[in-house]
Amino acid sequence: AQSVAQPEDQVNVAEGNPLTVKCTYSVSGNPYLFWYVQYPNRGLQFLLKYITGDNLVKGSYGFEAEFNKSQTSFHLKKPSALVSDSALYFCAVRDGGAGNMLTFGGGTRLMVKP
Amino acid sequence: GAVVSQHPSWVICKSGTSVKIECRSLDFQATTMFWYRQFPKQSLMLMATSNEGSKATYEQGVEKDKFLINHASLTLSTLTVTSAHPEDSSFYICSAPPGGSFRGYTFGSGTRLTVV
Protein backbone atom coordinates (compact mmCIF):
# COMPACT_ATOMS: atom_id res chain seq x y z
CA ALA A 1 0.00 0.00 0.00
CA GLN A 2 1.11 3.54 -0.66
CA SER A 3 0.64 6.50 1.64
CA VAL A 4 1.54 10.14 2.00
CA ALA A 5 1.89 12.25 5.12
CA GLN A 6 1.81 16.01 5.33
CA PRO A 7 2.56 16.66 8.99
CA GLU A 8 1.50 20.30 9.04
CA ASP A 9 -2.12 21.33 8.66
CA GLN A 10 -1.06 24.92 8.16
CA VAL A 11 2.14 26.81 7.44
CA ASN A 12 2.39 30.53 8.07
CA VAL A 13 5.09 32.62 6.47
CA ALA A 14 5.71 36.28 5.86
CA GLU A 15 5.83 37.56 2.31
CA GLY A 16 9.35 37.51 0.95
CA ASN A 17 10.52 34.78 3.30
CA PRO A 18 11.34 31.26 2.15
CA LEU A 19 8.68 28.60 2.61
CA THR A 20 8.74 24.85 3.06
CA VAL A 21 5.78 22.48 2.99
CA LYS A 22 6.68 19.02 4.19
CA CYS A 23 5.76 15.67 2.68
CA THR A 24 6.84 12.12 3.40
CA TYR A 25 5.71 9.04 1.52
CA SER A 26 5.64 5.28 1.57
CA VAL A 27 5.49 3.00 -1.46
CA SER A 28 6.72 -0.49 -2.16
CA GLY A 29 8.16 0.30 -5.57
CA ASN A 30 9.74 3.37 -7.11
CA PRO A 31 7.84 6.52 -6.14
CA TYR A 32 6.33 8.95 -8.59
CA LEU A 33 5.78 12.11 -6.54
CA PHE A 34 3.63 15.14 -7.24
CA TRP A 35 2.69 18.47 -5.75
CA TYR A 36 -0.62 20.15 -6.51
CA VAL A 37 -2.14 23.45 -5.43
CA GLN A 38 -5.82 24.09 -4.88
CA TYR A 39 -7.56 27.44 -4.67
CA PRO A 40 -11.03 27.71 -3.08
CA ASN A 41 -13.74 25.82 -4.99
CA ARG A 42 -11.34 24.89 -7.72
CA GLY A 43 -9.76 21.72 -8.97
CA LEU A 44 -6.13 20.85 -8.45
CA GLN A 45 -3.39 22.53 -10.41
CA PHE A 46 -0.19 20.66 -11.14
CA LEU A 47 2.98 22.23 -9.73
CA LEU A 48 5.71 19.69 -10.27
CA LYS A 49 6.59 16.03 -10.29
CA TYR A 50 9.48 13.70 -9.66
CA ILE A 51 9.77 10.52 -11.69
CA THR A 52 13.47 9.99 -12.06
CA GLY A 53 16.64 12.00 -12.55
CA ASP A 54 17.77 15.01 -10.55
CA ASN A 55 16.59 15.05 -6.98
CA LEU A 56 15.82 18.77 -7.17
CA VAL A 57 12.76 19.36 -9.29
CA LYS A 58 11.71 22.81 -10.44
CA GLY A 59 8.07 23.53 -11.16
CA SER A 60 5.52 26.23 -11.79
CA TYR A 61 5.38 29.64 -10.10
CA GLY A 62 8.93 29.40 -8.72
CA PHE A 63 8.27 26.30 -6.63
CA GLU A 64 10.72 23.45 -6.32
CA ALA A 65 10.91 20.20 -4.42
CA GLU A 66 13.71 17.93 -3.34
CA PHE A 67 13.40 14.18 -3.50
CA ASN A 68 15.22 12.51 -0.63
CA LYS A 69 15.14 8.75 -0.95
CA SER A 70 16.79 7.97 2.38
CA GLN A 71 14.31 10.13 4.26
CA THR A 72 11.41 9.24 1.94
CA SER A 73 10.58 12.92 1.70
CA PHE A 74 9.56 15.32 -1.04
CA HIS A 75 9.33 18.74 0.58
CA LEU A 76 8.01 21.68 -1.42
CA LYS A 77 10.01 24.89 -1.27
CA LYS A 78 10.06 28.41 -2.57
CA PRO A 79 12.82 30.96 -1.91
CA SER A 80 10.53 33.96 -1.56
CA ALA A 81 6.84 33.60 -0.75
CA LEU A 82 4.09 35.74 -2.27
CA VAL A 83 0.72 36.55 -0.76
CA SER A 84 -0.82 34.99 -3.86
CA ASP A 85 0.81 31.66 -2.94
CA SER A 86 -1.72 31.30 -0.13
CA ALA A 87 -3.68 28.16 -0.96
CA LEU A 88 -4.06 24.49 -0.11
CA TYR A 89 -1.18 22.26 -1.16
CA PHE A 90 -1.34 18.53 -1.71
CA CYS A 91 1.47 16.05 -2.02
CA ALA A 92 0.66 12.84 -3.88
CA VAL A 93 2.41 9.59 -4.67
CA ARG A 94 1.97 6.85 -7.18
CA ASP A 95 3.73 3.52 -7.01
CA GLY A 96 5.68 3.39 -10.26
CA GLY A 97 5.31 -0.35 -10.47
CA ALA A 98 1.63 -0.70 -9.80
CA GLY A 99 -1.27 1.00 -11.55
CA ASN A 100 -2.16 4.63 -12.04
CA MET A 101 -3.79 5.52 -8.76
CA LEU A 102 -2.61 8.60 -6.91
CA THR A 103 -2.70 8.73 -3.14
CA PHE A 104 -2.93 12.18 -1.60
CA GLY A 105 -1.66 13.61 1.62
CA GLY A 106 -4.05 15.41 3.90
CA GLY A 107 -3.13 18.79 2.53
CA THR A 108 -1.34 21.79 4.02
CA ARG A 109 -2.81 25.25 4.04
CA LEU A 110 -0.21 27.86 3.27
CA MET A 111 -0.86 31.35 4.59
CA VAL A 112 1.46 34.08 3.37
CA LYS A 113 1.02 37.35 5.21
CA PRO A 114 2.07 40.72 3.86
CA GLY B 1 -2.82 20.11 -23.65
CA ALA B 2 -4.39 17.40 -21.47
CA VAL B 3 -7.52 19.25 -20.36
CA VAL B 4 -10.39 17.67 -18.46
CA SER B 5 -13.60 19.65 -18.58
CA GLN B 6 -15.94 19.06 -15.63
CA HIS B 7 -19.56 20.21 -15.52
CA PRO B 8 -21.42 21.58 -13.74
CA SER B 9 -19.17 23.70 -11.56
CA TRP B 10 -21.81 23.89 -8.90
CA VAL B 11 -25.29 22.52 -8.42
CA ILE B 12 -27.99 22.82 -5.79
CA CYS B 13 -30.63 20.12 -5.71
CA LYS B 14 -33.46 18.95 -3.51
CA SER B 15 -33.21 15.83 -1.38
CA GLY B 16 -34.28 12.76 -3.26
CA THR B 17 -33.32 13.98 -6.70
CA SER B 18 -30.41 12.77 -8.81
CA VAL B 19 -27.50 14.79 -10.10
CA LYS B 20 -25.17 13.95 -12.97
CA ILE B 21 -21.62 15.24 -13.14
CA GLU B 22 -19.70 14.98 -16.41
CA CYS B 23 -16.01 14.90 -17.08
CA ARG B 24 -14.73 15.11 -20.61
CA SER B 25 -11.16 14.81 -21.79
CA LEU B 26 -10.86 17.47 -24.48
CA ASP B 27 -7.60 16.69 -26.23
CA PHE B 28 -6.71 13.18 -25.23
CA GLN B 29 -8.34 9.82 -24.72
CA ALA B 30 -8.96 8.91 -21.12
CA THR B 31 -9.35 5.18 -20.76
CA THR B 32 -9.42 5.67 -17.00
CA MET B 33 -11.01 8.36 -14.86
CA PHE B 34 -10.64 8.71 -11.11
CA TRP B 35 -13.48 10.22 -9.09
CA TYR B 36 -12.69 11.93 -5.82
CA ARG B 37 -14.73 13.47 -3.07
CA GLN B 38 -13.42 16.27 -0.93
CA PHE B 39 -14.97 17.53 2.30
CA PRO B 40 -14.22 21.06 3.48
CA LYS B 41 -10.62 21.51 4.57
CA GLN B 42 -9.90 17.85 3.94
CA SER B 43 -7.95 15.85 1.42
CA LEU B 44 -9.24 14.10 -1.66
CA MET B 45 -10.71 10.68 -1.06
CA LEU B 46 -10.84 8.31 -4.00
CA MET B 47 -14.37 7.09 -4.54
CA ALA B 48 -14.06 5.00 -7.65
CA THR B 49 -12.15 4.39 -10.83
CA SER B 50 -14.02 4.25 -14.10
CA ASN B 51 -12.70 2.36 -17.08
CA GLU B 52 -14.00 2.71 -20.61
CA GLY B 53 -15.84 -0.40 -21.65
CA SER B 54 -15.98 -2.05 -18.26
CA LYS B 55 -17.53 -1.65 -14.82
CA ALA B 56 -16.19 0.92 -12.44
CA THR B 57 -14.12 -0.13 -9.46
CA TYR B 58 -15.38 1.31 -6.19
CA GLU B 59 -13.38 1.95 -3.05
CA GLN B 60 -14.41 0.30 0.16
CA GLY B 61 -17.35 2.00 1.80
CA VAL B 62 -18.61 3.73 -1.36
CA GLU B 63 -22.16 2.77 -2.28
CA LYS B 64 -22.26 1.55 -5.85
CA ASP B 65 -26.01 2.05 -6.17
CA LYS B 66 -25.81 5.58 -4.90
CA PHE B 67 -22.84 6.79 -6.91
CA LEU B 68 -23.36 5.50 -10.43
CA ILE B 69 -20.34 5.79 -12.66
CA ASN B 70 -20.41 5.34 -16.39
CA HIS B 71 -17.48 5.59 -18.76
CA ALA B 72 -19.39 5.86 -22.00
CA SER B 73 -16.51 6.64 -24.32
CA LEU B 74 -12.81 7.38 -24.36
CA THR B 75 -13.59 11.04 -23.71
CA LEU B 76 -16.54 10.97 -21.32
CA SER B 77 -17.05 9.70 -17.78
CA THR B 78 -20.05 10.53 -15.63
CA LEU B 79 -20.88 10.32 -11.95
CA THR B 80 -24.55 10.29 -10.98
CA VAL B 81 -25.47 10.87 -7.36
CA THR B 82 -28.83 9.14 -7.02
CA SER B 83 -31.48 10.05 -4.46
CA ALA B 84 -29.20 12.72 -3.07
CA HIS B 85 -29.30 13.63 0.61
CA PRO B 86 -27.73 16.55 2.48
CA GLU B 87 -24.84 14.36 3.62
CA ASP B 88 -23.90 13.92 -0.04
CA SER B 89 -23.11 17.61 -0.22
CA SER B 90 -19.45 17.83 -1.08
CA PHE B 91 -16.89 18.82 -3.69
CA TYR B 92 -16.45 16.17 -6.38
CA ILE B 93 -13.38 16.12 -8.62
CA CYS B 94 -12.44 13.90 -11.51
CA SER B 95 -8.94 13.15 -12.71
CA ALA B 96 -7.46 11.37 -15.68
CA PRO B 97 -4.03 9.78 -15.63
CA PRO B 98 -1.70 10.73 -18.44
CA GLY B 99 -1.64 8.93 -21.70
CA GLY B 100 1.37 8.49 -23.93
CA SER B 101 4.42 10.27 -22.54
CA PHE B 102 4.18 10.76 -18.83
CA ARG B 103 2.71 14.03 -17.67
CA GLY B 104 1.11 15.26 -14.54
CA TYR B 105 -2.36 13.94 -13.87
CA THR B 106 -5.08 16.23 -15.14
CA PHE B 107 -7.91 17.28 -12.87
CA GLY B 108 -11.31 18.67 -13.61
CA SER B 109 -12.24 21.97 -12.03
CA GLY B 110 -14.54 20.26 -9.54
CA THR B 111 -18.27 20.28 -8.83
CA ARG B 112 -19.70 21.75 -5.66
CA LEU B 113 -22.86 19.78 -4.85
CA THR B 114 -25.26 21.15 -2.27
CA VAL B 115 -28.31 19.08 -1.37
CA VAL B 116 -31.07 20.95 0.43
Side-chain angles (χ1 to χ4, degrees):
Chain A
Q2 54 196 46
S3 65
V4 180
Q6 292 180 244
E8 303 153 315
D9 289 338
Q10 182 162 317
V11 170
N12 298 311
V13 64
E15 187 175 31
N17 283 0
L19 68 88
T20 299
V21 182
K22 295 179 180 178
C23 171
T24 58
Y25 66 90
S26 174
V27 295
S28 55
N30 292 322
Y32 292 1
L33 295 154
F34 304 82
W35 274 101
Y36 290 88
V37 60
Q38 184 182 34
Y39 295 96
N41 292 311
R42 301 292 296 275
L44 274 65
Q45 296 179 31
F46 171 76
L47 281 179
L48 52 80
K49 69 179 186 289
Y50 171 83
I51 306 299
T52 186
D54 290 341
N55 290 341
L56 184 63
V57 178
K58 293 187 181 297
S60 306
Y61 313 120
F63 284 93
E64 59 188 31
E66 185 166 14
F67 171 63
N68 188 317
K69 187 174 182 178
S70 62
Q71 297 184 5
T72 62
S73 67
F74 191 57
H75 301 330
L76 181 70
K77 299 182 179 182
K78 187 173 182 180
S80 179
L82 300 173
V83 173
S84 57
D85 292 330
S86 299
L88 190 57
Y89 290 80
F90 291 100
C91 181
V93 68
R94 170 195 158 191
D95 188 326
N100 279 325
M101 191 184 80
L102 279 182
T103 298
F104 288 87
T108 298
R109 184 164 300 281
L110 174 65
M111 298 291 291
V112 181
K113 298 185 178 181
Chain B
V3 176
V4 171
S5 176
Q6 183 171 349
H7 293 280
S9 297
W10 58 271
V11 57
I12 302 173
C13 70
K14 293 183 178 180
S15 290
T17 61
S18 295
V19 174
K20 179 184 283 189
I21 301 170
E22 292 188 350
C23 279
R24 294 180 182 271
S25 56
L26 299 185
D27 52 0
F28 68 103
Q29 294 182 333
T31 55
T32 300
M33 191 75 73
F34 298 111
W35 287 94
Y36 295 90
R37 182 174 182 177
Q38 184 182 30
F39 290 103
K41 298 183 180 180
Q42 294 190 25
S43 188
L44 283 72
M45 300 301 296
L46 181 66
M47 298 174 63
T49 303
S50 72
N51 297 288
E52 191 271 337
S54 62
K55 291 183 178 181
T57 303
Y58 289 81
E59 297 300 303
Q60 191 173 8
V62 178
E63 298 177 60
K64 300 179 182 180
D65 295 333
K66 182 165 191 62
F67 299 100
L68 299 180
I69 290 176
N70 183 30
H71 202 124
S73 72
L74 289 172
T75 58
L76 175 63
S77 177
T78 61
L79 166 66
T80 301
V81 183
T82 63
S83 187
H85 291 283
E87 57 265 29
D88 299 325
S89 299
S90 191
F91 194 60
Y92 294 87
I93 307 175
C94 60
S95 172
S101 60
F102 195 83
R103 297 168 293 182
Y105 289 67
T106 299
F107 286 80
S109 56
T111 298
R112 170 72 60 193
L113 171 63
T114 302
V115 185
V116 298

